[in-house]
Amino acid sequence: MKGGLFLLVINLLLALSIIVNKVHGQGTRVGFYSSTCPRAESIVKSTVQSHVKSDPTLTAGLLRMHFHDCFVQGCDASVLISGTATEKTAFPNLGLRGYEAIDDAKTQLEAACPGVVSCADIVALAARDSVVLSGGLSWQVPTGRKDGRVSQASDVNNLPGPSDSVDVQKQKFAAKGLNTQDLVTLVGGHTIGTTACQFFSNRLYNFTANGPDPSIDPSFLPQLRALCPQNSGASNRVALDTGSQNNFDTSYFANLRNGRGILQSDEALWNDASTKTFVQRYLGLRGLLGLTFGVEFGKSMVKMSNIGLKSGADGEIRKICSAIN
């Protein structure tokens, strides 16, 4: 009886471990390549550093790429696949940048450790390294992802959009296992980078019958209109975090508080009670103990980076990142 009970307990523990692995990333772990490719993370880091040195704006591009990858088909590098009607060709992804840095890192890794490091892991590591190069805090990235075999433009429709309400944003994040704090934290990645006028210029002129979006600081409006003239300049770029677009800091949240959020979906985070609480905590308002944005960003990134990981025949280690094997 004792032996049977022991086996039953062991089987239950094994079943539980399988469930836990499925929930927390199907076996991703920090240091996954420590024996199979010890220089994996340092190769990605040095490659990102090299590309960012030539073009500092790539930090935001590489961070955004990871987000756009994970929210469609999971974190499986499906956004990197070239071809007709792939994710890369969908409208929300046409502005993605940093492919050359990922390809460069993959080339070096294939030379050092052929067939070992996935493109999905390169994307996750590059996102972390980009944040650090922008002045943000580092975090440990669990690795061991596989690359996906499916990439369809039609799947990109579920990405959060620039005019989404807070309720819609919460629904889209919840569908990926991310809560309201994760939402505010991850959108805080807009502390670096820019956006095109076409994604928010509707707020500047005829947003309501009386004119512009009333949530915009009136003293800020002339500056935005100069950057985005009415009926022109759709592709002009505007910093998402005015005054601090290259620094990973909390000024993005201060801009939301001051009516200087650029995207409608961003400014909405200050105007909704459920999300405003977290914005205030990151700003240290209302005497709250607060959450350290840099630390919480790393936690939420790890959580996001384990969305929809591939296993078995659903995944592979690509030889080149732009094509399935």
Side-chain angles (χ1 to χ4, degrees):
M1 286 294 291
K2 288 183 178 180
L5 181 61
F6 177 76
L7 286 174
L8 177 62
V9 170
I10 291 297
N11 286 333
L12 286 172
L13 288 173
L14 284 173
L16 180 61
S17 71
I18 291 171
I19 292 171
V20 169
N21 277 336
K22 286 185 176 180
V23 172
H24 293 287
Q26 298 181 350
T28 57
R29 67 176 189 275
V30 174
F32 183 86
Y33 298 111
S34 59
S35 60
T36 55
C37 191
R39 293 181 55 236
E41 293 200 25
S42 63
I43 287 174
V44 174
K45 181 179 179 179
S46 63
T47 304
V48 171
Q49 286 176 330
S50 174
H51 283 263
V52 168
K53 187 175 181 180
S54 300
D55 181 2
T57 67
L58 278 184
T59 54
L62 289 166
L63 177 58
R64 185 169 177 244
M65 179 184 290
H66 186 37
F67 186 95
H68 280 228
D69 182 42
C70 291
F71 262 71
V72 183
Q73 291 285 349
C75 306
D76 64 352
S78 54
V79 75
L80 305 179
I81 297 175
S82 298
T84 304
T86 60
E87 289 174 35
K88 187 187 284 191
T89 69
F91 180 73
N93 289 335
L94 294 180
L96 288 183
R97 301 170 61 247
Y99 295 111
E100 65 280 4
I102 303 299
D103 290 340
D104 188 0
K106 180 61 173 175
T107 298
Q108 294 183 51
L109 287 165
E110 284 300 300
C113 320
V116 173
V117 182
S118 69
C119 299
D121 279 341
I122 297 173
V123 172
L125 291 167
R128 185 270 311 273
D129 296 337
S130 294
V131 169
V132 174
L133 287 171
S134 302
L137 297 181
S138 185
W139 65 89
Q140 292 188 310
V141 177
T143 45
R145 296 165 189 79
K146 285 192 173 183
D147 299 321
R149 301 174 185 271
V150 177
S151 182
Q152 300 176 142
S154 56
D155 292 332
V156 177
N157 296 331
N158 292 327
L159 274 172
S163 60
D164 283 350
S165 67
V166 168
D167 284 343
V168 170
Q169 291 183 72
K170 288 200 291 190
Q171 289 169 13
K172 289 181 177 180
F173 276 72
K176 303 299 180 183
L178 301 169
N179 60 31
T180 303
Q181 181 179 323
D182 295 318
L183 159 62
V184 177
T185 306
L186 292 169
V187 174
H190 285 169
T191 181
I192 55 175
T194 63
T195 188
C197 290
Q198 63 182 315
F199 296 117
F200 70 93
S201 59
N202 66 305
R203 302 181 66 209
L204 308 182
Y205 299 100
N206 300 310
F207 187 79
T208 68
N210 297 319
D213 185 340
S215 66
I216 299 175
D217 171 15
S219 67
F220 187 44
L221 192 59
Q223 182 179 335
L224 292 179
R225 284 177 168 174
L227 294 167
C228 304
Q230 191 169 17
N231 302 321
S232 67
S235 61
N236 292 357
R237 307 294 299 184
V238 176
L240 284 163
D241 183 6
T242 303
S244 184
Q245 71 187 70
N246 296 317
N247 300 317
F248 202 92
D249 53 28
T250 58
S251 67
Y252 164 80
F253 297 109
N255 277 325
L256 299 188
R257 176 192 62 199
N258 297 330
R260 296 189 167 215
I262 302 300
L263 301 178
Q264 184 178 341
S265 57
D266 284 4
E267 189 59 46
L269 299 179
W270 178 257
N271 296 313
D272 183 282
S274 66
T275 48
K276 183 177 182 177
T277 297
F278 295 106
V279 176
Q280 289 177 316
R281 288 182 186 177
Y282 288 143
L283 288 171
L285 301 180
R286 293 174 61 184
L288 296 168
L289 289 175
L291 299 166
T292 303
F293 174 54
V295 172
E296 296 302 325
F297 189 80
K299 292 178 182 177
S300 290
M301 284 290 284
V302 169
K303 196 171 173 182
M304 182 187 77
S305 74
N306 279 329
I307 294 172
L309 302 189
K310 304 300 183 288
S311 61
D314 291 333
E316 62 182 14
I317 306 297
R318 282 186 220 138
K319 295 176 182 176
I320 59 173
C321 291
S322 59
I324 59 174
N325 293 341

